[in-house]
Amino acid sequence: LHSQARWLGRVDEVYDNVQLAWEDGASCKVMRTSANSLAVHSPTMDEQTWFWPSMSVSGTRDTLRRAKWLKGSFRAPYANEHATVSKVHAAQALVRWLAAIPSEG
């Protein structure tokens, strides 16, 4: 419920910026990551999991090549190798607005 406009909505999609770290110290940020763009290797509550720090994940070669490298640079062995999520920031949420709520009074 949007408190000012009084609309009821449903979040259909969420995208996060996810920072990954490897044991050798390399680090990258995968931009606008959806729930299924990184393979999750940690226990999750469902298949539509979002990401959180300390989670073990891996990315494809294409995903990691497009990432912003913060320390080090892309190397082929990083593809599909387990990395640890070190930071997560919300990037975008797509909301489907369903109905206007009549104002009171």
Side-chain angles (χ1 to χ4, degrees):
L1 179 63
H2 189 284
S3 62
Q4 295 175 353
R6 302 201 42 87
W7 275 83
L8 176 66
R10 178 183 74 211
V11 176
D12 279 347
E13 296 179 50
V14 174
Y15 297 96
D16 294 321
N17 295 335
V18 179
Q19 189 169 322
L20 306 178
W22 281 265
E23 289 183 5
D24 67 358
S27 177
C28 73
K29 186 185 294 186
V30 181
M31 309 299 280
R32 293 196 65 232
T33 305
S34 65
N36 297 317
S37 60
L38 293 172
V40 175
H41 306 289
S42 296
T44 62
M45 294 180 19
D46 62 42
E47 292 179 7
Q48 294 296 317
T49 187
W50 296 339
F51 304 99
W52 62 84
S54 78
M55 177 182 260
S56 178
V57 299
S58 61
T60 65
R61 176 184 293 243
D62 289 339
T63 297
L64 297 178
R65 274 200 181 149
R66 288 191 307 267
K68 178 180 179 182
W69 286 84
L70 306 171
K71 187 173 181 185
S73 59
F74 172 76
R75 294 189 337 216
Y78 291 141
N80 300 312
E81 180 181 320
H82 290 213
T84 302
V85 173
S86 56
K87 291 183 184 177
V88 179
H89 293 269
Q92 182 179 16
L94 300 177
V95 178
R96 180 181 307 256
W97 296 105
L98 303 171
I101 308 298
S103 59
E104 297 175 12

